[in-house]
Amino acid sequence: MSYLDLKIQELKDSGVYRELPINEGPCEAVIRLNGKDVINLSSNNYLGFANHPRLKKAAIDAIEKYGVGAGAVRTIVGNMDIHETLDQVIANFKHEEAATVFQSGFACNAGVIQAITSEKDLIISDELNHASIIDGVRLSKASRAVYKHSDMEALESILKEKRDQFEQVLIITDGVFSMDGDIAKLPEIVQLAKKYNALTYVDDAHGSGVLGNSGRGTVDHFGLHGQVDFIIGTLSKAIGVVGGYVAGSKASRAWLLHRGRPLLFSTALMPGAAAAIIEAFKMLEESTEYTDKLWDNARYFKNKLVSYGFDIGHSETPITPIMIGEESKTMAFSKELLKRGVYVSGIVFPTVQKGMGRIRCMVSALHTKAQLDQAVDIIYKTAKDLSII
Ligand SMILES: *Cc1c(COP(=O)(O)O)cnc(C)c1O
């Protein structure tokens, strides 16, 4: 056997090997997965924008006008007027001076962290930060320190001990933590950053389009406009399309256009995607219908799970984990739920710590109450049958 076959066998032996599920249609509340209709509790399509007629129309019109590809990186000839418009739309929506769109949220973290830090700097990162932040930090020449999840005393003790040894110190946190659904203690982080003269960097992938006024994000939720240096967002989750952005000062945009490597070495977002995203922000500005429905559904679903005796950890957002523990049990639960008509992905090591396996339910504005009721019933009966509850 090849070395990879051996490693794959290890996955199989520990019960965590899986095949990719195949969705045969658009991302909706009910999807046709592996040939069977199931309730979808696994997407990041929070507002239902991924298959929204207005976004699709905008994309089709832009494809007719601009074609399907941008043709080059932004710094050469791939920077179309529609990309410039999109940057401006995002800056306005976020109430920031400027914004710069990247190809994905992952590309933002991979490109921005290394661009804004040097070997004379220190990066301080929450231990539960997203994988793309971890990779982004690895690409930086700066020194690193990691603090216990949302532990402000731990963060302060690093700042106290190390601040003087470095030129810049950058504190990085998720806005909403993707595996637990809890919100970063941003007011405290901003206060510590001021006290120790550090910079702040918030990756709001799960907060943008979800938290704050009209989905303006975690910074807006806490009323911290102008006090976070780098705000990263994704256009692939609540916004429903693809892409990522950095919002902040005009200077940060100018610098990233020279040193943000994904902007220099990877082709710009497809123009159809840019047009669909612009339409999505227009819809968020027009009405809170979608964000209201999302939160209404999330509260309904979470209350119901708790009343059935499930442990949903410390979620404060539509991300709703059901804590299981053991890896193989978690995967078996997820597999059985799929058989019975609910798709909820099992999340296990290395995505979360060993022994912290969970299924992660993602509620959206698309779900009807009847679908949520049906999903909770199936989850409850399956949990009983597998002695999980
Ligand atoms: C999903 C996610 C990303 C990646 O965003 P994409 O646009 O899908 O690449 C980055 N950071 C966090 C915190 C995320 O949850």
Side-chain angles (χ1 to χ4, degrees):
M1 274 201 273
S2 79
Y3 81 104
L4 287 180
D5 287 325
L6 285 168
K7 284 167 165 300
I8 291 163
Q9 193 54 48
E10 279 171 26
L11 295 180
K12 288 181 174 166
D13 292 345
S14 53
V16 297
Y17 184 81
R18 47 148 184 66
E19 304 285 346
L20 293 184
I22 299 170
N23 178 11
E24 292 163 34
C27 184
E28 287 285 348
V30 172
I31 51 175
R32 192 155 188 86
L33 203 67
N34 299 338
K36 188 178 159 208
D37 286 340
V38 296
I39 298 174
N40 173 16
L41 282 180
S42 285
S43 88
N44 300 316
N45 182 22
Y46 287 109
L47 304 173
F49 284 0
N51 190 39
H52 196 287
R54 280 181 63 179
L55 274 75
K56 290 199 283 190
K57 168 91 173 40
I60 291 164
D61 290 349
I63 287 171
E64 294 295 350
K65 179 171 176 188
Y66 296 94
V68 288
V73 302
R74 284 193 78 172
T75 50
I76 299 182
V77 77
N79 189 43
M80 293 166 155
D81 55 3
I82 201 161
H83 296 111
E84 289 285 320
T85 304
L86 177 56
D87 286 352
Q88 198 51 56
V89 163
I90 294 173
N92 294 346
F93 181 77
K94 302 291 282 188
H95 300 322
E96 295 293 329
E97 267 180 32
T100 315
V101 167
F102 284 66
Q103 300 85 346
S104 71
F106 199 108
C108 272
N109 286 325
V112 176
I113 298 169
Q114 56 167 315
I116 59 173
T117 53
S118 78
E119 62 283 355
K120 294 172 184 155
D121 303 334
L122 171 69
I123 297 169
I124 313 179
S125 182
D126 187 292
E127 67 176 346
L128 293 190
N129 278 345
H130 190 256
S132 58
I133 294 177
I134 296 170
D135 287 10
V137 171
R138 283 185 185 140
L139 290 170
S140 161
K141 294 200 175 86
S143 298
R144 298 132 205 209
V146 173
Y147 62 96
K148 197 165 166 287
H149 176 52
S150 280
D151 183 334
M152 294 299 106
E153 281 173 26
L155 172 58
E156 178 154 19
S157 79
I158 295 170
L159 285 163
K160 206 178 253 167
E161 188 194 327
K162 305 206 166 180
R163 177 63 190 97
D164 293 342
Q165 304 162 33
F166 296 93
E167 257 183 37
Q168 303 293 340
V169 172
L170 181 69
I171 305 170
I172 305 186
T173 183
D174 276 18
V176 172
F177 289 87
S178 48
M179 295 303 146
D180 294 271
D182 55 327
I183 305 172
K185 293 181 178 162
L186 211 49
E188 289 90 337
I189 291 171
V190 165
Q191 215 166 18
L192 285 172
K194 281 184 187 152
K195 183 169 169 192
Y196 292 92
N197 185 28
L199 297 163
T200 44
Y201 182 112
V202 176
D203 177 352
D204 213 18
H206 283 282
S208 49
V210 176
L211 278 177
N213 182 14
S214 298
R216 281 185 169 75
T218 308
V219 171
D220 186 86
H221 170 76
F222 287 116
L224 291 169
H225 288 291
Q227 299 183 63
V228 172
D229 298 284
F230 304 93
I231 304 164
I232 291 10
T234 178
L235 303 162
S236 343
K237 287 177 175 147
I239 301 303
V241 191
V242 71
Y245 60 85
V246 189
S249 66
K250 282 189 178 141
S252 75
R253 176 177 157 86
W255 180 247
L256 289 171
L257 291 177
H258 290 85
R259 289 291 185 276
R261 291 168 71 84
L263 294 176
L264 277 63
F265 299 107
S266 183
T267 298
L269 206 64
M270 63 180 290
I277 296 161
I278 291 168
E279 189 66 20
F281 282 111
K282 204 166 164 190
M283 285 161 60
L284 287 178
E285 299 266 17
E286 275 170 17
S287 145
T288 58
E289 169 192 351
Y290 298 96
T291 46
D292 289 347
K293 181 82 193 300
L294 168 67
W295 280 94
D296 184 42
N297 276 348
R299 275 188 278 266
Y300 181 81
F301 182 75
K302 291 164 82 152
N303 285 340
K304 193 147 185 180
L305 282 177
V306 170
S307 76
Y308 275 64
F310 286 106
D311 173 9
I312 63 165
H314 33 260
S315 166
E316 304 169 80
T317 61
I319 299 173
T320 311
I322 297 179
M323 309 308 282
I324 309 295
E326 203 191 304
E327 282 71 29
S328 57
K329 206 172 184 178
T330 306
M331 296 314 280
F333 189 29
S334 165
K335 213 165 155 183
E336 185 58 28
L337 284 171
L338 178 56
K339 264 194 210 150
R340 299 187 190 189
V342 182
Y343 184 54
V344 196
S345 50
I347 310 268
V348 296
F349 180 81
T351 307
V352 294
Q353 280 176 2
K354 275 217 165 92
M356 295 288 278
R358 72 215 44 193
I359 61 166
R360 188 181 61 154
C361 308
M362 304 293 286
V363 182
S364 83
L366 287 169
H367 293 101
T368 63
K369 293 274 159 47
Q371 286 165 338
L372 294 176
D373 286 342
Q374 197 190 348
V376 174
D377 278 348
I378 293 171
I379 290 169
Y380 181 69
K381 286 193 189 108
T382 310
K384 276 269 180 219
D385 291 348
L386 298 186
S387 308
I388 280 167
I389 200 162

